[in-house]
Amino acid sequence: GPISAISTIDGLLLVSIGAKIILFQYLEDELRGMAFYDAQIYIVSMTPLKNYILCCDLYKSVFFLRWKVPFS
């Protein structure tokens, strides 16, 4: 599907494809999917705030996701 929003958080690429959010990391000359989240809304905008992700939709307003680095 088409990418509806793109941003970065903690050196990771944050991509929204419709209602799915995927975090990619560039390792050894390739992009690898590190995490994903299936939202209930079609995401049109994402903004990282420290270790939170603010996701926006035109109909259901906004919601926050928390990103925690798994191996720190």
Side-chain angles (χ1 to χ4, degrees):
I3 295 174
S4 57
I6 190 166
S7 188
T8 61
I9 186 169
D10 290 336
L12 301 173
L13 180 64
L14 182 63
V15 176
S16 171
I17 303 170
K20 180 174 275 204
I21 299 170
I22 306 172
L23 285 128
F24 290 100
Q25 185 175 25
Y26 189 74
L27 292 172
E28 300 173 5
D29 297 331
E30 69 177 303
L31 277 176
R32 293 186 185 177
M34 301 302 288
F36 72 94
Y37 177 76
D38 288 320
Q40 299 295 319
I41 62 174
Y42 187 88
I43 299 166
V44 295
S45 175
M46 293 184 298
T47 304
L49 303 168
K50 295 187 180 182
N51 62 338
Y52 291 93
I53 303 166
L54 175 68
C55 299
C56 303
D57 180 43
L58 293 175
Y59 299 108
K60 293 189 177 182
S61 190
V62 298
F63 67 95
F64 283 99
L65 296 173
R66 181 171 180 246
W67 169 249
K68 182 178 176 185
V69 179
F71 303 110
S72 62

